Short mmCIF file of all heavy atoms in Angstrom, two decimals:
data_model
loop_
_atom_site.label_atom_id
_atom_site.label_comp_id
_atom_site.label_asym_id
_atom_site.label_seq_id
_atom_site.Cartn_x
_atom_site.Cartn_y
_atom_site.Cartn_z
N SER G 199 12.84 23.37 -10.76
CA SER G 199 14.25 23.44 -11.15
C SER G 199 14.48 24.56 -12.16
O SER G 199 15.49 25.29 -12.08
CB SER G 199 14.71 22.10 -11.73
OG SER G 199 14.69 21.09 -10.75
N HIS G 200 13.56 24.70 -13.11
CA HIS G 200 13.67 25.80 -14.07
C HIS G 200 13.62 27.16 -13.38
O HIS G 200 14.19 28.14 -13.86
CB HIS G 200 12.54 25.71 -15.10
CG HIS G 200 12.77 24.66 -16.13
ND1 HIS G 200 11.81 24.30 -17.05
CD2 HIS G 200 13.84 23.87 -16.39
CE1 HIS G 200 12.28 23.35 -17.83
NE2 HIS G 200 13.51 23.06 -17.45
N ALA G 201 12.92 27.21 -12.25
CA ALA G 201 12.80 28.47 -11.51
C ALA G 201 13.97 28.69 -10.55
O ALA G 201 13.97 29.65 -9.78
CB ALA G 201 11.48 28.47 -10.73
N GLY G 202 14.94 27.79 -10.57
CA GLY G 202 16.14 27.98 -9.77
C GLY G 202 16.15 27.28 -8.43
O GLY G 202 17.06 27.49 -7.62
N VAL G 203 15.16 26.44 -8.16
CA VAL G 203 15.12 25.70 -6.90
C VAL G 203 15.96 24.43 -7.03
O VAL G 203 15.78 23.66 -7.98
CB VAL G 203 13.67 25.34 -6.51
CG1 VAL G 203 13.66 24.59 -5.17
CG2 VAL G 203 12.80 26.59 -6.43
N ARG G 204 16.84 24.22 -6.10
CA ARG G 204 17.71 23.04 -6.12
C ARG G 204 16.98 21.91 -5.40
O ARG G 204 16.69 22.00 -4.20
CB ARG G 204 19.03 23.37 -5.43
CG ARG G 204 20.08 22.28 -5.48
CD ARG G 204 21.38 22.76 -4.84
NE ARG G 204 22.35 21.70 -4.75
CZ ARG G 204 23.19 21.34 -5.71
NH1 ARG G 204 23.16 22.00 -6.86
NH2 ARG G 204 24.06 20.36 -5.55
N ILE G 205 16.66 20.83 -6.14
CA ILE G 205 15.79 19.78 -5.62
C ILE G 205 16.50 18.44 -5.61
O ILE G 205 17.14 18.04 -6.59
CB ILE G 205 14.51 19.67 -6.46
CG1 ILE G 205 13.71 20.97 -6.36
CG2 ILE G 205 13.65 18.49 -6.01
CD1 ILE G 205 12.47 20.99 -7.21
N ALA G 206 16.35 17.73 -4.50
CA ALA G 206 16.73 16.32 -4.40
C ALA G 206 15.44 15.52 -4.26
O ALA G 206 14.45 16.03 -3.73
CB ALA G 206 17.65 16.08 -3.21
N ALA G 207 15.44 14.29 -4.74
CA ALA G 207 14.19 13.53 -4.77
C ALA G 207 14.44 12.06 -4.50
O ALA G 207 15.52 11.53 -4.77
CB ALA G 207 13.51 13.71 -6.13
N GLY G 208 13.42 11.39 -3.96
CA GLY G 208 13.56 9.98 -3.66
C GLY G 208 12.25 9.24 -3.65
O GLY G 208 11.17 9.85 -3.68
N LYS G 209 12.35 7.93 -3.61
CA LYS G 209 11.18 7.06 -3.51
C LYS G 209 11.31 6.22 -2.25
O LYS G 209 12.33 5.55 -2.04
CB LYS G 209 11.07 6.16 -4.75
CG LYS G 209 9.78 5.35 -4.77
CD LYS G 209 9.53 4.70 -6.11
CE LYS G 209 8.19 3.96 -6.11
NZ LYS G 209 7.89 3.35 -7.42
N LEU G 210 10.27 6.25 -1.42
CA LEU G 210 10.35 5.67 -0.09
C LEU G 210 9.79 4.27 0.03
O LEU G 210 10.12 3.56 0.99
CB LEU G 210 9.62 6.57 0.92
CG LEU G 210 10.08 8.02 1.02
CD1 LEU G 210 9.30 8.75 2.10
CD2 LEU G 210 11.58 8.09 1.30
N SER G 211 8.92 3.86 -0.88
CA SER G 211 8.25 2.57 -0.71
C SER G 211 7.88 1.98 -2.05
O SER G 211 7.87 2.67 -3.07
CB SER G 211 6.99 2.72 0.16
OG SER G 211 6.08 3.63 -0.43
N GLY G 212 7.56 0.68 -2.04
CA GLY G 212 7.18 0.00 -3.27
C GLY G 212 8.05 -1.22 -3.51
O GLY G 212 8.56 -1.84 -2.57
N VAL G 213 8.23 -1.55 -4.78
CA VAL G 213 9.11 -2.64 -5.18
C VAL G 213 10.21 -2.05 -6.04
O VAL G 213 9.97 -1.13 -6.84
CB VAL G 213 8.33 -3.76 -5.91
CG1 VAL G 213 7.72 -3.26 -7.20
CG2 VAL G 213 9.21 -4.99 -6.15
N ALA G 214 11.43 -2.53 -5.89
CA ALA G 214 12.61 -1.87 -6.44
C ALA G 214 12.59 -1.76 -7.96
O ALA G 214 12.19 -2.69 -8.66
CB ALA G 214 13.87 -2.60 -6.00
N ALA G 215 13.02 -0.60 -8.44
CA ALA G 215 13.26 -0.34 -9.86
C ALA G 215 13.95 1.01 -9.95
O ALA G 215 13.80 1.86 -9.06
CB ALA G 215 11.97 -0.35 -10.67
N LEU G 216 14.69 1.22 -11.03
CA LEU G 216 15.37 2.48 -11.23
C LEU G 216 14.50 3.50 -11.96
O LEU G 216 14.84 4.68 -12.00
CB LEU G 216 16.65 2.26 -12.04
CG LEU G 216 17.70 1.33 -11.42
CD1 LEU G 216 18.92 1.24 -12.34
CD2 LEU G 216 18.12 1.81 -10.03
N ARG G 217 13.40 3.05 -12.54
CA ARG G 217 12.60 3.90 -13.43
C ARG G 217 12.20 5.22 -12.80
O ARG G 217 12.42 6.30 -13.38
CB ARG G 217 11.34 3.14 -13.86
CG ARG G 217 10.40 3.92 -14.76
CD ARG G 217 9.20 3.07 -15.14
NE ARG G 217 8.48 2.61 -13.94
CZ ARG G 217 7.50 1.72 -13.97
NH1 ARG G 217 7.16 1.15 -15.11
NH2 ARG G 217 6.89 1.37 -12.85
N ASP G 218 11.62 5.20 -11.61
CA ASP G 218 11.14 6.44 -11.01
C ASP G 218 12.26 7.39 -10.63
O ASP G 218 12.17 8.59 -10.93
CB ASP G 218 10.24 6.13 -9.82
CG ASP G 218 8.94 5.44 -10.24
OD1 ASP G 218 8.67 5.39 -11.46
OD2 ASP G 218 8.22 4.94 -9.37
N PRO G 219 13.33 6.94 -9.95
CA PRO G 219 14.45 7.85 -9.70
C PRO G 219 15.06 8.43 -10.98
O PRO G 219 15.51 9.58 -11.00
CB PRO G 219 15.46 6.98 -8.94
CG PRO G 219 14.61 5.96 -8.25
CD PRO G 219 13.51 5.66 -9.23
N LEU G 220 15.07 7.65 -12.07
CA LEU G 220 15.59 8.16 -13.33
C LEU G 220 14.70 9.27 -13.89
O LEU G 220 15.20 10.25 -14.45
CB LEU G 220 15.74 7.03 -14.34
CG LEU G 220 16.90 6.06 -14.09
CD1 LEU G 220 16.84 4.90 -15.08
CD2 LEU G 220 18.24 6.77 -14.19
N VAL G 221 13.37 9.11 -13.74
CA VAL G 221 12.46 10.18 -14.15
C VAL G 221 12.75 11.45 -13.36
O VAL G 221 12.77 12.56 -13.91
CB VAL G 221 10.99 9.75 -13.96
CG1 VAL G 221 10.04 10.94 -14.12
CG2 VAL G 221 10.62 8.66 -14.95
N MET G 222 12.98 11.30 -12.07
CA MET G 222 13.30 12.45 -11.23
C MET G 222 14.59 13.12 -11.67
O MET G 222 14.67 14.36 -11.77
CB MET G 222 13.40 12.00 -9.77
CG MET G 222 12.10 11.48 -9.19
SD MET G 222 12.33 10.63 -7.60
CE MET G 222 10.63 10.21 -7.18
N ALA G 223 15.61 12.32 -11.96
CA ALA G 223 16.88 12.88 -12.43
C ALA G 223 16.73 13.55 -13.78
O ALA G 223 17.29 14.63 -14.02
CB ALA G 223 17.94 11.77 -12.49
N ASP G 224 15.98 12.93 -14.68
CA ASP G 224 15.78 13.50 -16.01
C ASP G 224 15.09 14.86 -15.95
O ASP G 224 15.25 15.69 -16.85
CB ASP G 224 14.95 12.55 -16.87
CG ASP G 224 15.72 11.30 -17.28
OD1 ASP G 224 16.96 11.31 -17.15
OD2 ASP G 224 15.08 10.34 -17.73
N ASN G 225 14.29 15.08 -14.91
CA ASN G 225 13.56 16.33 -14.78
C ASN G 225 14.31 17.39 -13.98
O ASN G 225 13.77 18.48 -13.75
CB ASN G 225 12.19 16.08 -14.16
CG ASN G 225 11.19 15.58 -15.18
OD1 ASN G 225 10.70 16.34 -16.01
ND2 ASN G 225 10.89 14.29 -15.15
N GLY G 226 15.53 17.06 -13.54
CA GLY G 226 16.35 18.10 -12.93
C GLY G 226 16.77 17.89 -11.49
O GLY G 226 17.43 18.76 -10.92
N ALA G 227 16.41 16.77 -10.88
CA ALA G 227 16.83 16.53 -9.50
C ALA G 227 18.35 16.42 -9.43
O ALA G 227 18.97 15.73 -10.24
CB ALA G 227 16.19 15.25 -8.97
N VAL G 228 18.95 17.12 -8.48
CA VAL G 228 20.41 17.11 -8.36
C VAL G 228 20.91 15.84 -7.68
O VAL G 228 22.10 15.51 -7.78
CB VAL G 228 20.91 18.35 -7.58
CG1 VAL G 228 20.55 19.62 -8.32
CG2 VAL G 228 20.34 18.38 -6.16
N ALA G 229 20.03 15.13 -7.00
CA ALA G 229 20.38 13.86 -6.37
C ALA G 229 19.11 13.04 -6.23
O ALA G 229 18.02 13.60 -6.03
CB ALA G 229 21.03 14.06 -5.01
#
Side-chain angles (χ1 to χ4, degrees):
S199 294
H200 283 172
V203 181
R204 185 176 174 85
I205 297 177
K209 187 167 183 178
L210 303 183
S211 59
V213 63
L216 300 181
R217 178 179 58 189
D218 293 349
L220 287 174
V221 169
M222 296 168 178
D224 289 345
N225 280 285
V228 298

